[in-house]
């Protein structure tokens, strides 16, 4: 028998869609406050957000409309379908308050500017009482308690209080980022957690909320896509992919493709497993995007998703290439970005660095090396393994990278255009990790792994662009296991892989054999590289998926195929590596974004020894 559902049942179903957890309650209520034009919003919660109050100084609701506000599909924000396409409010479905009211104790108190007194309406799990007069300030207060008490199934799925609280903070931060013109105050159990007063400068607000300073502004427009980003320097990164805050038409949304676009813009400036900070606003003509694809409005659909991707990459990349973090800081050296600047023929030369900073940097590095590691010895190794070796220790490499990246940029001055690495005199090797060398005027420490990695990476990229990556065939094909899906997608890209120098054949539903790899690559790096390729292709079906994967695949192969930290090298080997660095313009940073060397002038050293003043 088909029956129309009672509205209380419908409300509960709607509550299931709009409201999965307390953070979504916070989101809906804050949106209502902002829609009401509030310039002050206060959030108070306890019990992991199951009790939550949102207070605002917005327009308020007139007494005769209070009951309507709690009814399903009752909204003051749209009248007809066309309105959906010229929305300027967060809400429009008119279902948040009714949904919340059906699964909680809700008390709504409100007063408009025109009223001399406020009114309060109470709903207990959907049962609404008549409004009462109360004294209240202009604005609204929605107080929700015992959320989901009558929906045990929902209660069971709530995560720990800590995780709910962190979700609520994320929600409030998202509003804080997009609305610097509004002050936000958040308290938990009566204790102030967050407070951001009104701030004229959106970038400043973002720095404060993300606790990253400085952030940089990238702005541009392409094909109707207005892009504005507050982004972090590539050496200030996160270990998890949580640094992207995306706003489309002012709404905080999730979008994998745009996330990929941001990563694409940062390509080769970050190490694997590093993620940038980026607050990204995309605005476009309303008919170019659908915001009504999800009940919680956490996703959008672009009419032209590939243009969205391209616009973000272009605008962000253009700004990243201007390397503003170098210019903004007084401690500038030939870092990876400056090397880029040099290789592009320059522009305004980055400023010099303060001697004091250079000293402390080098001192710190030396101290770490001396005292945390085994030895500090100049040596000329003779009885050594062949070069380059077969395995690289990723762990070691990334541990070390921390040392560099957690400090200021490496200390050097700009490299002269006619500088030749090959002309340096090799002094020896330090801690089996750094090549020590000198020119007529400077002392150099070169990270052997990072340097070699860059060389191999550049060679592979160059070969690939020229369409021929020299291959070596395996006498015994290498057999590798993957999941069935991965095998399928790798085989689908057999030709692309062939162009990259990797020859594969299927050997079973979950097995591939690799017949050939690029000449410069060691066997050990192949499995990881194919895995990276498979992961990227499956998570990214866009038209440039293969192109996007190549840099990462080559970076991974290089990393696994080059000399590693902790490996003794002979003078000849060190000299040969330095010479190879001259083959490419980018030798000053590794493909994962780490600096390759640090340098100190003799005059600085002499100054430190008190030989000159
Ligand atoms: P929607 O936001 O989609 O319109 P809601 O159920 O969230 O639906 O809210 C219903 C209506 O109640 C809104 O359209 C608005 O008129 C009114 N309202 C809700 N919260 C507030 C508030 N904080 N200040 C003023 N009016 C509000
Ligand atoms: Mg709403």
């Amino acid at each position: 028998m088909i029956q129309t559902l009672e509205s209380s049942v419908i409300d509960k179903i709607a509550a299931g869609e709009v409201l999965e957890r307390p953070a979504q309650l916070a989101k809906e209520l804050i949106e209502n406050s902002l829609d009401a034009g509030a310039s002050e919003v206060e959030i108070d919660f306890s019990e992991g957000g199951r009790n939550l109050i949102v207070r605002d100084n917005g327009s308020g609701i007139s007494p005769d409309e209070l009951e309507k506000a709690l009814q399903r599909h009752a909204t003051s924000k749209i009248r007809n379908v066309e309105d959906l396409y010229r929305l300027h409010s967060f809400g429009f479905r008119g279902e948040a308050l009714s949904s919340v009211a059906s699964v909680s104790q809700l008390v709504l108190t409100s007063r408009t500017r025109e009223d001399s007194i406020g009114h309060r309406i109470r709903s207990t799990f959907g049962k609404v009482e008549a409004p009462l007069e109360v004294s209240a300030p202009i604005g609204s207060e929605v107080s929700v308690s015992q959320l989901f008490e009558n929906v045990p199934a929902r209660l069971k799925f709530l995560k720990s209080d800590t995780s709910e609280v962190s979700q609520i903070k994320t929600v409030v931060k998202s509003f804080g980022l997009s609305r610097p013109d509004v002050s936000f105050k958040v308290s938990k159990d009566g204790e102030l957690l967050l407070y951001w007063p009104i701030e004229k400068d959106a970038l400043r607000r973002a720095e404060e909320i993300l606790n990253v300073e400085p952030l940089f502004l990238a702005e541009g427009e392409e094909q109707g896509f207005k892009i504005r980003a507050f982004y972090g320097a590539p050496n200030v990164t996160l270990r998890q992919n949580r640094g992207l805050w995306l706003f489309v038409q002012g709404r905080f949304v999730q979008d994998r493709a745009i996330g990929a676009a941001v990563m694409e813009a940062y390509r080769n400036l970050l190490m694997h497993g590093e993620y940038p900070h980026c607050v990204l606003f995309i605005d476009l003509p309303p008919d170019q995007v659908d915001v009504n694809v999800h009940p919680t409005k956490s996703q959008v659909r672009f009419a032209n998703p590939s243009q969205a991707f391209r616009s973000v990459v272009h605008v962000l990349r253009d700004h990243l290439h201007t390397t503003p973090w170098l210019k903004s800081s007084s401690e500038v050296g030939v870092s990876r970005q400056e090397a880029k600047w040099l290789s592009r023929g320059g522009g305004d030369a980055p400023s010099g660095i303060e001697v004091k900073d250079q000293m402390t940097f080098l001192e710190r590095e030396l101290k770490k090396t001396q005292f945390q590691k085994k030895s500090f010895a100049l040596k000329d190794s003779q009885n050594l393994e062949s070069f380059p070796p077969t395995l690289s220790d990723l762990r070691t490499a990334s541990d070390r990278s921390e040392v560099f990246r957690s400090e200021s940029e490496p200390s050097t001055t700009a490299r002269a255009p006619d500088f030749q690495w090959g002309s340096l005199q090799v002094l020896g090797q330090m801690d089996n990790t750094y090549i020590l060398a000198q020119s007529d005027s400077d002392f150099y420490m070169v990270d052997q792994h990072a340097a070699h990695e860059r060389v191999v990476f550049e060679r592979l990229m160059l070969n690939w662009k020229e369409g021929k990556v020299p291959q070596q065939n395996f006498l015994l094909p290498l057999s590798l296991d993957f999941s069935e899906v991965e095998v399928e997608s790798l085989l689908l890209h057999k030709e692309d892989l062939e162009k990259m120098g990797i020859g594969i054949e299927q050997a079973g539903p979950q097995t591939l054999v690799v017949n050939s790899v690029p000449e410069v690559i060691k066997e050990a790096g192949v499995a990881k590289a194919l895995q990276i390729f498979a992961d990227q292709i499956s998570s990214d079906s866009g038209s440039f998926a293969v192109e996007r994967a190549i840099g990462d695949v080559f970076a991974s192969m290089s990393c696994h195929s080059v000399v590693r930290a902790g490996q003794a090298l002979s003078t000849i080997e060190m000299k040969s590596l330095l010479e190879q660095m001259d083959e490419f313009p980018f030798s000053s940073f590794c493909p994962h974004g780490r600096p390759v060397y640090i340098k100190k002038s003799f005059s600085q050293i002499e100054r430190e020894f008190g030989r000159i003043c």
Side-chain angles (χ1 to χ4, degrees):
M1 189 171 41
I2 300 178
Q3 277 184 326
T4 311
L5 292 172
E6 271 177 43
S7 65
S8 64
V9 180
I10 298 176
D11 276 341
K12 265 199 186 176
I13 295 174
E17 287 179 355
V18 183
L19 268 191
E20 279 178 340
R21 51 196 306 186
Q24 279 157 352
L25 168 66
K27 171 177 178 286
E28 292 293 338
L29 297 185
I30 298 171
E31 286 188 348
N32 280 347
S33 296
L34 297 174
D35 283 347
S39 61
E40 285 171 25
V41 178
E42 274 182 41
I43 301 105
D44 243 308
F45 66 90
S46 59
E47 304 267 318
R50 290 187 54 222
N51 299 333
L52 189 140
I53 303 174
V54 173
R55 242 174 260 117
D56 66 55
N57 65 349
S59 62
I61 306 171
S62 65
D64 51 321
E65 293 208 301
L66 270 182
E67 268 174 287
K68 243 193 236 156
L70 299 192
Q71 281 168 17
R72 193 160 37 90
H73 303 312
T75 178
S76 56
K77 297 167 195 174
I78 58 169
R79 292 278 169 265
N80 49 44
V81 177
E82 285 74 50
D83 287 349
L84 267 183
Y85 294 94
R86 23 174 203 257
L87 269 181
H88 292 289
S89 59
F90 285 112
F92 53 83
R93 300 169 68 112
E95 51 188 20
L97 284 187
S98 66
S99 304
V100 176
S102 73
V103 294
S104 72
Q105 285 248 24
L106 182 149
V107 181
L108 164 59
T109 311
S110 202
R111 185 184 138 201
T112 65
R113 199 167 290 284
E114 291 72 39
D115 294 309
S116 52
I117 190 149
H119 286 79
R120 173 170 293 165
I121 186 170
R122 183 186 299 270
S123 158
T124 312
F125 301 108
K127 281 201 199 70
V128 183
E129 294 164 30
L132 298 172
E133 274 190 6
V134 289
S135 75
I138 293 170
S140 306
E141 175 185 298
V142 180
S143 164
V144 174
S145 51
Q146 293 183 276
L147 181 68
F148 299 137
E149 197 63 36
N150 61 337
V151 200
R154 183 73 46 177
L155 268 188
K156 235 192 288 171
F157 285 102
L158 286 188
K159 305 237 169 64
S160 69
D161 277 9
T162 333
S163 132
E164 297 297 338
V165 170
S166 110
Q167 288 290 321
I168 292 174
K169 280 196 204 162
T170 302
V171 163
V172 183
K173 283 182 185 177
S174 73
F175 288 111
L177 288 167
S178 61
R179 295 297 301 270
D181 56 328
V182 176
S183 81
F184 293 92
K185 223 180 232 179
V186 184
S187 311
K188 173 175 167 275
D189 302 317
E191 206 177 296
L192 189 65
L193 279 187
L194 305 169
Y195 173 50
W196 308 305
I198 292 176
E199 166 69 63
K200 278 195 204 74
D201 184 350
L203 191 127
R204 268 293 310 143
R205 170 69 76 85
E207 287 175 341
E208 190 178 338
I209 291 180
L210 303 186
N211 202 12
V212 178
E213 222 173 314
L215 290 172
F216 302 94
L217 171 69
E219 228 171 347
E221 185 170 353
E222 191 177 291
Q223 303 285 324
F225 282 78
K226 286 205 185 81
I227 313 280
R228 190 162 60 114
F230 305 142
Y231 66 94
N235 55 352
V236 181
T237 55
L238 293 163
R239 289 273 163 220
Q240 279 153 325
N241 194 1
R242 289 212 200 113
L244 173 64
W245 299 79
L246 173 63
F247 299 85
V248 177
Q249 314 291 67
R251 286 173 196 280
F252 179 50
V253 295
Q254 312 294 325
D255 190 297
R256 286 187 72 135
I258 299 298
V262 171
M263 291 305 284
E264 174 65 16
Y266 273 90
R267 179 161 296 268
N268 293 339
L269 290 173
L270 303 172
M271 305 213 308
H272 281 302
E274 284 188 335
Y275 300 90
H277 293 277
C278 183
V279 183
L280 182 64
F281 300 93
I282 303 179
D283 286 283
L284 62 170
D287 59 343
Q288 289 299 300
V289 61
D290 188 354
V291 294
N292 192 23
V293 281
H294 194 266
T296 63
K297 311 183 199 88
S298 59
Q299 283 163 24
V300 292
R301 194 177 291 134
F302 294 106
N304 187 349
S306 52
Q307 184 59 51
F309 183 92
R310 277 196 299 271
S311 309
V312 170
V313 175
H314 292 162
V315 171
L316 199 51
R317 194 189 272 159
D318 281 356
H319 284 264
L320 276 163
H321 279 189
T322 64
T323 64
W325 51 92
L326 289 179
K327 288 158 198 146
S328 78
S329 136
S330 62
E331 6 182 291
V332 174
V334 174
S335 62
R336 51 199 188 276
Q337 289 82 19
E338 190 176 349
K340 262 195 179 164
W341 165 82
L342 280 170
S343 75
R344 291 203 326 269
D348 283 348
S351 55
I353 55 171
E354 279 178 30
V355 171
K356 197 161 158 282
D357 286 328
Q358 295 181 40
M359 283 173 50
T360 43
F361 177 77
L362 194 64
E363 276 169 7
R364 275 196 298 263
E365 292 313 309
L366 286 178
K367 265 193 197 132
K368 273 179 199 156
T369 322
Q370 269 178 284
F371 298 121
Q372 291 174 1
K373 306 218 197 87
K374 327 162 280 299
S375 61
F376 175 69
L378 288 176
K379 72 165 148 224
D380 188 353
S381 320
Q382 300 298 343
N383 49 341
L384 301 168
E385 306 149 28
S386 64
F387 179 83
T390 50
L391 271 173
S392 139
D393 185 346
L394 231 186
R395 279 291 296 265
T396 319
S398 62
D399 286 352
R400 276 163 206 276
S401 75
E402 284 291 324
V403 171
F404 281 96
R405 296 171 66 86
S406 61
E407 307 292 346
S408 56
E409 290 291 337
S411 49
T412 60
T413 49
R415 170 150 83 101
D418 56 358
F419 173 85
Q420 291 281 313
W421 288 102
S423 70
L424 293 183
Q425 181 197 350
V426 174
L427 300 171
Q429 191 187 22
M430 182 178 84
D431 199 28
N432 287 345
T433 300
Y434 305 103
I435 299 169
L436 306 183
Q438 67 177 357
S439 67
D440 293 347
S441 56
D442 300 283
F443 170 67
Y444 289 82
M445 296 164 76
V446 178
D447 181 319
Q448 63 194 40
H449 175 77
H452 193 206
E453 203 178 355
R454 186 79 219 174
V455 167
V456 170
F457 175 80
E458 289 292 349
R459 234 175 244 159
L460 284 169
M461 284 308 273
L462 194 73
N463 290 335
W464 179 76
K465 278 180 201 142
E466 288 170 348
K468 50 169 176 27
V469 178
Q471 284 179 319
Q472 51 171 323
N473 294 323
F474 287 145
L475 277 179
L476 290 174
L478 183 68
S479 165
L480 297 173
D481 290 335
F482 295 93
S483 75
E484 270 177 52
V485 183
E486 286 164 349
V487 165
E488 224 168 84
S489 78
L490 286 169
L491 284 170
L492 214 61
H493 290 92
K494 194 165 154 28
E495 275 181 30
D496 294 314
L497 288 165
E498 189 68 39
K499 275 192 212 128
M500 296 159 74
I502 307 174
I504 55 164
E505 297 291 343
Q506 180 157 26
Q510 302 194 2
T511 314
L512 287 177
V513 291
V514 181
N515 304 316
S516 58
V517 293
E519 224 168 58
V520 286
I521 289 310
K522 297 283 165 280
E523 225 176 88
V526 181
K528 183 88 202 276
L530 280 173
Q531 190 66 54
I532 288 175
F533 188 81
D535 289 350
Q536 290 225 7
I537 294 294
S538 64
S539 69
D540 175 0
S541 54
S543 40
F544 304 104
V546 172
E547 282 76 2
R548 278 195 287 278
I550 283 166
D552 287 352
V553 169
F554 282 164
S556 164
M557 288 203 289
S558 327
C559 182
H560 284 79
S561 303
V562 301
V563 59
R564 64 173 194 274
Q567 179 172 353
L569 300 179
S570 72
T571 308
I572 293 167
E573 289 165 343
M574 290 189 274
K575 184 89 179 157
S576 144
L577 177 51
L578 292 177
E579 279 163 5
Q580 292 174 57
M581 286 167 69
D582 287 323
E583 287 173 38
F584 306 98
F586 292 103
S587 292
S588 300
F589 57 102
C590 82
H592 294 138
R594 281 200 301 130
V596 165
Y597 69 97
I598 55 184
K599 173 177 116 170
K600 200 160 175 149
S601 72
F602 290 170
S603 54
Q604 278 168 252
I605 295 173
E606 280 179 287
R607 219 174 286 130
E608 282 167 44
F609 278 110
R611 288 178 169 276
I612 54 174
C613 306

